[in-house]
Amino acid sequence: MNAKLIALLCGVVFGLGMMISGMVDPNNVLGFLTLSASWNPSLAFVMGGALAVFIPAYQWLIKPRVDASKTALTGQPLQLPANRQIDGKLLAGASLFGIGWGVAGICPGPGLTMLISGQAPVWVFFVSMLAAMFAYQRVIEPLSRATKPSA
């Protein structure tokens, strides 16, 4: 089966799962991130359900391929990260991601799913996410390459 078709199918299943679980509703996400009397644990159950499926699938299907052939189930090469170091760049990016998620109540995956709703705040989120990715690619990444010491 065509790898792009598999990717599309996975994206559709992911989007449907986000919609069915209610995780495209920023109120559910913010309810989970707000530790108060009105705390909403539903996101924890969604993540727990995802891990209950992913962990066995990873152990039985993915990990043996990573260790042996370094190819995905589709036969394409796996693109594994070379950098395994926890550094300031990783911590800054994770912090910005978390702050954005907490302020907007929208995670990028469900945010893409929410685009079909046509709601203005979702489109503002999406355009802001694209602008940040563009800024990183055009400004921050070239600066970090320029300041790396040459070998």
Side-chain angles (χ1 to χ4, degrees), residues 122-135:
V122 176
W123 281 94
V124 169
F125 167 81
F126 180 69
V127 169
S128 300
M129 182 177 74
L130 290 179
M133 290 178 355
F134 179 80

Side-chain angles (χ1 to χ4, degrees), residues 63-112:
K63 192 171 188 302
R65 297 190 72 79
V66 170
D67 295 340
S69 66
K70 301 228 184 299
T71 60
L73 294 173
T74 60
Q76 294 181 319
L78 290 173
Q79 297 177 358
L80 302 172
N83 183 7
R84 296 189 174 272
Q85 182 178 344
I86 297 175
D87 57 7
K89 192 170 147 181
L90 175 68
L91 294 174
S95 298
L96 283 172
F97 177 86
I99 290 167
W101 191 28
V103 169
I106 304 172
C107 185
L112 292 175

